[in-house]
Amino acid sequence: MPATLLGTTPSASAALRAEFTDGAGYLAACTAGLPMVSTRAAVAADLVRWPDLGRYTRAAEASRSYAARLLGVAAERVAIGSQTSVMAGLLAASLPDGAEVLCAADEFSSIVLPFMHAGRGITVRTAPLSDLADAVGPKTDLVVFSLVQSACGTVADGAAIAAAARAHGARTLCDVTQAAGWMPVAGELFDAVVCHAYKWLCAPRGVAFLAISAEYAQTVRPIHAGWYAGHDPWASCYGGNAVLAEDARRFDVSPAWQAFLGAEPALRAFADAHMPAIASHTTALAAAFRERCDRPAAPSARPSAIVSWPDADGDDLARLTAAGIAASGRNGRARLAFHIFNDEDDVDRAARALGR
């Protein structure tokens, strides 16, 4: 890994990089992260052992604690699930009739559609991400946005959006799926945070988290409650008299067993790593690619690990793919993601594929 970009980092970050053995040319962490050596080992070992719910529960609870560290919140504020859209739907179902939801324009649909289809007179208004803070009004109940935009990689001014929402008595829902794993996340800024861990956190798909403030949680109905949402899950398996957990665990759904077994070592490695160093490394690679290929940065003052540019006909994406580079195209744009397992060779390879 080039010292010119990574600099001096704690040993945990070096251990994290060592978990990836096949990252060369893979510039698609914004689509799906690469599985770690330890994740593969954990899932493979489980497949040749008897099922053990105790083992699965320990992995799920450890994953919750690591996710809390990554999201910057207390563990009792974190609920586990499988999809961000389900968690957004939970919040949509608890909005008052006639509520107004303000969403960033061109936002990822998983955190928009649950509100669009909530019924009960709930309306959704949109504004460009750069204008989102100014668009919050006295009728706004909830502001919904991603900390890092999926299609273009723009990094939102989360603090400004949160402050504007508070000033108008509105709550915030922030999706950090495209942020957690390459940049520090200050989840306490927001009333609710959702994150699917299969992208930059390199966990198996089916591991997602909802971090919610204690005050907001009091207004949310646990409509997905099952046995795992019980104060004592093992005493909550039958009938309707179970006592739900008093903290965010009341919003848990039963964990996907093998997914959480694979997620636990990945989340632990990222939680132990030095996230500012990862942010410095990834954004430096992205900036180097932008400079070499004359691709302008996303319209944000905040550096991003994602580079995207207009590619409506898909020609640039086809060039990258033909060169053996894993990239992606979204919303009429080509998109590259630089992660901890990438280096200057990946910048060079992608630039050459585009004739630079």
Side-chain angles (χ1 to χ4, degrees):
M1 195 67 62
T4 54
L5 290 180
L6 193 59
T8 302
T9 62
S11 59
S13 295
L16 174 62
R17 294 195 305 277
E19 285 276 2
F20 299 99
T21 59
D22 53 358
Y26 190 81
L27 299 175
C30 53
T31 300
L34 290 177
M36 293 183 178
V37 171
S38 55
T39 289
R40 292 170 175 168
V43 175
D46 182 69
L47 294 176
V48 296
R49 302 169 68 184
W50 286 358
D52 182 345
L53 269 65
R55 182 167 71 246
Y56 302 140
T57 298
R58 288 190 293 274
E61 294 308 315
S63 295
R64 188 198 310 273
S65 66
Y66 297 134
R69 289 168 54 190
L70 287 160
L71 301 181
V73 299
E76 59 266 23
R77 299 274 65 85
V78 177
I80 63 172
S82 58
Q83 305 292 339
T84 56
S85 59
V86 175
M87 292 168 166
L90 175 74
L91 302 181
S94 297
L95 283 171
D97 293 355
E100 178 187 276
V101 178
L102 173 63
C103 291
D106 295 319
E107 186 55 83
F108 195 75
S109 60
S110 289
I111 58 170
V112 178
L113 294 182
F115 300 101
M116 293 289 297
H117 297 283
R120 298 184 291 110
I122 292 171
T123 60
V124 175
R125 186 165 58 89
T126 63
L129 181 66
S130 58
D131 301 329
L132 196 63
D134 292 333
V136 183
K139 295 183 179 180
T140 306
D141 291 276
L142 183 67
V143 183
V144 178
F145 69 102
S146 292
L147 188 58
V148 177
Q149 298 299 294
S150 173
C152 60
T154 302
V155 180
D157 188 345
I161 295 170
R166 286 194 301 271
H168 287 88
R171 295 190 176 97
T172 47
L173 167 60
C174 181
D175 185 346
V176 300
T177 299
Q178 293 288 3
W182 74 262
M183 65 176 287
V185 172
E188 287 287 359
L189 285 174
F190 314 111
D191 297 285
V193 174
V194 291
C195 180
H196 203 305
Y198 78 102
K199 293 182 183 285
W200 297 86
L201 291 169
C202 299
R205 186 165 169 83
V207 175
F209 302 96
L210 165 67
I212 186 167
S213 70
E215 184 273 333
Y216 194 6
Q218 292 176 1
T219 72
V220 177
R221 296 181 293 113
I223 59 174
H224 303 308
W227 69 278
Y228 207 77
H231 172 73
D232 178 357
W234 303 109
S236 306
C237 296
Y238 302 99
N241 296 322
V243 176
L244 296 185
E246 294 182 357
D247 57 16
R249 291 195 305 108
R250 70 193 292 112
F251 306 120
D252 281 1
V253 297
S254 180
W257 292 347
Q258 281 79 17
F260 272 88
L261 278 179
E264 188 272 336
L267 295 171
R268 179 177 67 243
F270 277 101
D272 287 344
H274 189 246
M275 201 55 63
I278 298 176
S280 177
H281 172 71
T282 56
T283 58
L285 290 174
F289 174 82
R290 289 190 187 100
E291 182 177 358
R292 178 163 171 178
C293 294
D294 193 26
R295 305 298 182 189
S300 168
R302 291 158 293 280
S304 178
I306 299 174
V307 183
S308 74
W309 63 93
D311 186 36
D313 55 11
D315 286 348
D316 281 351
L317 181 58
R319 294 185 184 99
L320 291 163
T321 302
I325 295 168
S328 55
R330 293 293 185 273
N331 204 26
R333 302 176 68 86
R335 187 178 64 162
L336 296 178
F338 294 90
H339 206 356
I340 188 69
F341 44 72
N342 298 122
D343 59 23
E344 287 174 316
D345 289 341
D346 292 307
V347 173
D348 181 68
R349 186 174 175 183
R352 288 178 178 275
L354 298 175
R356 300 284 179 168

